[in-house]
């Protein structure tokens, strides 16, 4: 079902209920777009992991910006980011900002390090239900879109007591998109098509969760 027919139906229902439709915008007046918070890991004075000529902060920003652009081009969503340029943000800033904005979901994007290979993702320990559903949809969509470009190991859906997962007031997921210090993974992270596929996976997982 596309957005236009939903919009049209809401407008008709509102008209039937005697609500005067605002002349400037039928849609947002009746149903606000879901608020998606995207958090590109690190930035500014904190490069994150660095190896093979790559910096984590640059990769996370590229993936996050493309995720935002795909979401906004394809769906009716409101997207806010913890940063859109190479600036320093504390962990507290990131969750305070998302909480104050009233985000519906929080998605943090990172690159792994430590000598492994593949993709893994995290939610807060003990979370089930809605958070687990968001986690599962993002994980499966990112993995399948990565695998449209190259073979990628599935390291699984995990839990961890991370600040952004613990201090965010909404369902939150953190992705670790391959290992910057593993040459084969780094070679994928240097490819524009792989970065775009990774972003598309995030966008599709978010859209699936929100029912867009
Ligand atoms: Zn990181």
């Amino acid at each position: 079902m596309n957005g236009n027919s939903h919009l049209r139906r809401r407008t008709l229902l509102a008209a039937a209920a005697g609500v005067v439709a605002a002349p400037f915008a039928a849609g947002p007046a009746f149903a606000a777009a879901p608020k998606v918070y995207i958090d590109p890991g690190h930035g500014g004075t904190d490069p994150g992991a660095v190896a093979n000529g790559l910096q984590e902060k640059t990769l996370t920003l590229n993936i996050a910006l493309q995720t935002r652009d795909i979401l906004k081009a394809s769906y009716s969503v409101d997207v806010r980011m913890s940063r859109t340029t190479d600036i320093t943000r504390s962990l507290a800033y990131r969750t305070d900002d998302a909480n104050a904005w009233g985000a519906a979901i929080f998605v943090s994007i990172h690159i792994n390090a430590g000598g492994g290979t593949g993709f893994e993702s995290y939610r807060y320990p003990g979370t089930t239900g809605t958070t687990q559903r968001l986690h599962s949809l993002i994980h499966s969509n990112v993995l399948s879109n990565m695998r449209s470009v190259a073979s990628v190991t599935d390291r699984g859906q995990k839990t961890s007591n991370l600040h952004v997962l613990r201090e965010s007031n909404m369902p939150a997921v953190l992705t670790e998109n391959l290992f910057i210090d593993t040459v084969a993974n780094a070679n994928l992270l240097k490819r524009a098509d792989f970065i775009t596929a990774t972003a598309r996976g995030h966008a599709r997982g978010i859209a699936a969760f929100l029912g867009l």
Side-chain angles (χ1 to χ4, degrees):
M1 185 66 63
N2 66 47
N4 281 341
S5 55
H6 280 302
L7 201 77
R8 192 157 55 244
R9 190 156 58 87
R10 277 201 299 271
T11 307
L12 290 170
L13 287 171
V19 176
V20 177
F24 46 88
F30 297 109
K35 292 181 168 185
V36 175
Y37 197 90
I38 300 176
D39 174 39
H42 312 278
T45 58
D46 168 21
V50 177
N52 293 307
L54 295 170
Q55 291 191 309
E56 181 179 1
K57 67 174 182 177
T58 309
L59 294 165
T60 61
L61 183 59
N62 286 345
I63 295 167
L65 287 170
Q66 288 194 46
T67 299
R68 178 198 66 184
D69 291 347
I70 294 166
L71 278 171
K72 293 193 76 77
S74 309
Y75 312 103
S76 177
V77 287
D78 202 356
V79 179
R80 185 174 173 90
M81 295 173 62
S82 55
R83 64 185 182 93
T84 56
T85 57
D86 182 20
I87 58 172
T88 306
R89 293 293 201 202
S90 69
L91 292 175
Y93 172 89
R94 297 168 199 256
T95 47
D96 287 352
D97 189 51
N99 292 341
W101 187 51
I105 59 173
F106 185 106
V107 179
S108 189
I109 296 172
H110 287 254
I111 310 295
N112 228 329
T117 185
F119 172 72
E120 65 190 21
S121 59
Y122 290 88
R123 69 180 189 276
Y124 189 67
T127 51
T128 57
T130 306
T131 298
Q132 190 169 26
R133 194 170 76 84
L134 176 66
H135 189 188
S136 175
L137 285 167
I138 288 180
H139 188 92
S140 60
N141 276 277
V142 171
L143 194 61
S144 66
N145 279 271
M146 285 177 168
R147 284 176 169 172
S148 74
V149 174
S151 175
V152 172
T153 300
D154 182 2
R155 301 174 61 85
Q157 299 176 41
K158 304 178 178 183
T159 62
S160 184
N161 181 14
L162 299 169
H163 174 99
V164 296
L165 303 180
R166 184 182 63 248
E167 302 299 331
S168 48
N169 293 338
M170 64 292 301
V173 169
L174 183 146
T175 60
E176 292 280 6
N177 299 279
L178 308 194
F179 284 73
I180 201 168
D181 57 347
T182 295
V183 171
N185 281 195
N187 286 340
L188 286 176
L189 293 168
K190 290 174 180 174
R191 285 174 55 174
D193 60 343
F194 188 82
I195 294 298
T196 297
T198 302
R200 190 181 305 117
H202 283 80
R204 287 183 177 171
I206 290 166
F209 173 81
L210 295 172
L212 303 175

